[in-house]
Amino acid sequence: MPEDVQMNESEPQPAAPPPAAAPALSTLHHLKEIASVIEAGSLSKEVRRISRAFRLTVALRRRLAARDVSAFLGFALPASSEAYARLTALVPKEDDTEMDVDAAAPTTQISIKHGLPEIEIYCYLLVLIFLIDQNKYDEAKACATASIARLKNLNRRTVDVLASRLYFYYSNVYELTNRLAEIRGNLLALHRMATLHRDELGQETLLNLLLRNYLHYNLYDQAEKLRSKAPRFEAHSNQQFCRYLFYLGKIRTIQLEYTDAKESLLQAARKAPTTARGFRIQCNKWAIIVRLLLGEIPERTVFMQKGMKKALTPYFELTNVS
């Protein structure tokens, strides 16, 4: 919200000329800046910089075009590398007549060192996200499979953040094509690898993906066996912890352990980011059912939460007839 300014009621001053508008930075330039952040994080072994790079990518996601992705691959990867050949073949070709101009190139030339595993894995992640957004699922599967094969040869803490996101989109593209069962064995193998490498972020991400995989096919007993035998560790991601609580709440509900289920579901809804409306709606739906099974009547405010009223209306009506 703009701040109020104090008005000078004395003689009017001539208006200052508007400042010249700075040229908008191109998507390619932003990608180059992200690569430089990843390079700095890799060389200094600062995981937080890698996390920041991914957040910047999410903010840029809607602006990605095939020409930007192709140009970035040429910038970030050696032309003779296997990753460059594989990824450029997966990116759709576009007409170069509308090539995006790198507005900041004349003033700041960004360069990175080739050969960093973090940059290579980031390129896999970028192409995978782009292909999913373009609904090119066959190409996305090929990209995901190749990226997972490459990750199996790496054991670097600065790669773990990018790896955890690759695991998520790897599972996501198979879920979008309703073929989750095909990758369950790979997810289990990756979870064992993350445990051996002491990659706790990868462990919690893969555990949630496996629970989601089992629950997708209503395999609640298998999900509980995995959850109960998985190594214990301190949660590193609030989003992953919220997902874990939600899956745990669903498992406890089916096991008729309603009190524990209610606690997990309500905690997941409270801890979830306000922007994750769909996730919070699901948590509240399950929590309402569990509370009704416990003989409780949820408060009216539960059904009147901002952005949830329409989705929770059937549950409000069910509560009224209970």
Side-chain angles (χ1 to χ4, degrees):
M1 188 173 188
E3 296 181 358
D4 291 336
V5 293
Q6 184 176 2
M7 300 295 295
N8 188 348
E9 296 182 359
S10 59
E11 296 181 2
Q13 300 295 325
L25 296 179
S26 68
T27 303
L28 177 58
H29 182 81
H30 283 299
L31 289 173
K32 290 180 178 180
E33 288 185 330
I34 292 171
S36 68
V37 172
I38 294 174
E39 180 189 36
S42 172
L43 298 178
S44 62
K45 294 181 171 55
E46 293 184 74
V47 176
R48 61 181 180 83
R49 292 196 178 192
I50 311 295
S51 300
R52 177 171 176 265
F54 179 74
R55 291 195 298 271
L56 291 172
T57 305
V58 172
L60 200 64
R61 184 170 178 174
R62 294 182 181 276
R63 294 171 51 186
L64 288 177
R67 60 180 180 272
D68 302 317
V69 176
S70 297
F72 176 73
L73 293 176
F75 164 79
L77 296 173
S80 59
S81 67
E82 181 181 352
Y84 177 79
R86 178 181 290 117
L87 291 176
T88 51
L90 293 173
V91 178
K93 302 298 184 290
E94 283 190 357
D95 188 358
D96 292 336
T97 56
E98 297 182 2
M99 179 66 71
D100 202 4
V101 178
D102 193 343
T107 57
T108 305
Q109 187 63 41
I110 301 172
S111 63
I112 61 171
K113 297 179 181 178
H114 292 297
L116 290 176
E118 291 81 2
I119 296 294
E120 180 183 348
I121 296 302
Y122 175 75
C123 288
Y124 275 109
L125 178 59
L126 181 70
V127 172
L128 179 55
I129 291 174
F130 174 75
L131 291 173
I132 290 175
D133 288 345
Q134 297 296 311
N135 299 325
K136 298 186 178 297
Y137 298 136
D138 290 338
E139 293 87 345
K141 286 180 183 178
C143 178
T145 301
S147 66
I148 295 301
R150 181 69 180 96
L151 280 174
K152 290 180 179 179
N153 298 319
L154 296 174
N155 182 18
R156 293 161 66 101
R157 293 286 77 84
T158 46
V159 171
D160 291 347
V161 175
L162 298 173
S164 68
R165 306 316 303 163
L166 269 176
Y167 298 147
F168 173 81
Y169 289 109
Y170 172 56
S171 177
N172 179 241
V173 70
Y174 276 85
E175 182 174 357
L176 289 171
T177 53
N178 198 28
R179 303 179 73 174
L180 270 178
E182 295 181 12
I183 62 169
R184 192 177 303 148
N186 287 338
L187 292 178
L188 287 167
L190 289 169
H191 186 266
R192 287 194 295 270
M193 183 183 73
T195 303
L196 292 173
H197 290 173
R198 300 183 183 277
D199 173 12
E200 295 188 350
L201 181 57
Q203 286 182 64
E204 62 183 348
T205 301
L206 288 162
L207 176 59
N208 281 333
L209 293 176
L210 282 163
L211 293 177
R212 184 180 184 88
N213 196 302
Y214 284 123
L215 297 183
H216 182 79
Y217 295 99
N218 296 323
L219 301 174
Y220 287 89
D221 290 339
Q222 289 91 326
E224 173 57 20
K225 288 179 182 177
L226 172 67
R227 189 207 63 79
S228 61
K229 294 180 179 179
R232 294 288 185 269
F233 50 83
E234 182 180 353
H236 290 263
S237 167
N238 180 63
Q239 292 182 354
Q240 294 299 331
F241 184 52
C242 288
R243 289 191 179 102
Y244 175 78
L245 290 172
F246 176 61
Y247 298 142
L248 178 59
K250 292 178 70 172
I251 293 170
R252 291 287 181 259
T253 302
I254 299 301
Q255 292 177 331
L256 309 183
E257 299 177 11
Y258 298 137
T259 302
D260 292 342
K262 170 189 166 184
E263 182 180 349
S264 296
L265 292 166
L266 291 178
Q267 189 177 1
R270 285 195 300 268
K271 288 182 173 292
T274 55
T275 53
R277 186 173 63 180
F279 176 80
R280 293 171 61 233
I281 287 173
Q282 290 299 316
C283 290
N284 278 280
K285 285 181 177 180
W286 278 79
I288 291 167
I289 295 297
V290 169
R291 294 183 68 178
L292 292 175
L293 290 171
L294 284 170
E296 300 179 7
I297 303 298
E299 300 80 5
R300 181 180 291 268
T301 54
V302 171
F303 305 95
M304 303 301 172
Q305 297 178 72
K306 185 177 180 180
M308 299 188 194
K309 184 176 179 180
K310 182 177 180 180
L312 296 181
T313 296
Y315 295 81
F316 178 67
E317 295 173 353
L318 177 63
T319 302
N320 285 337
V321 300
S322 298

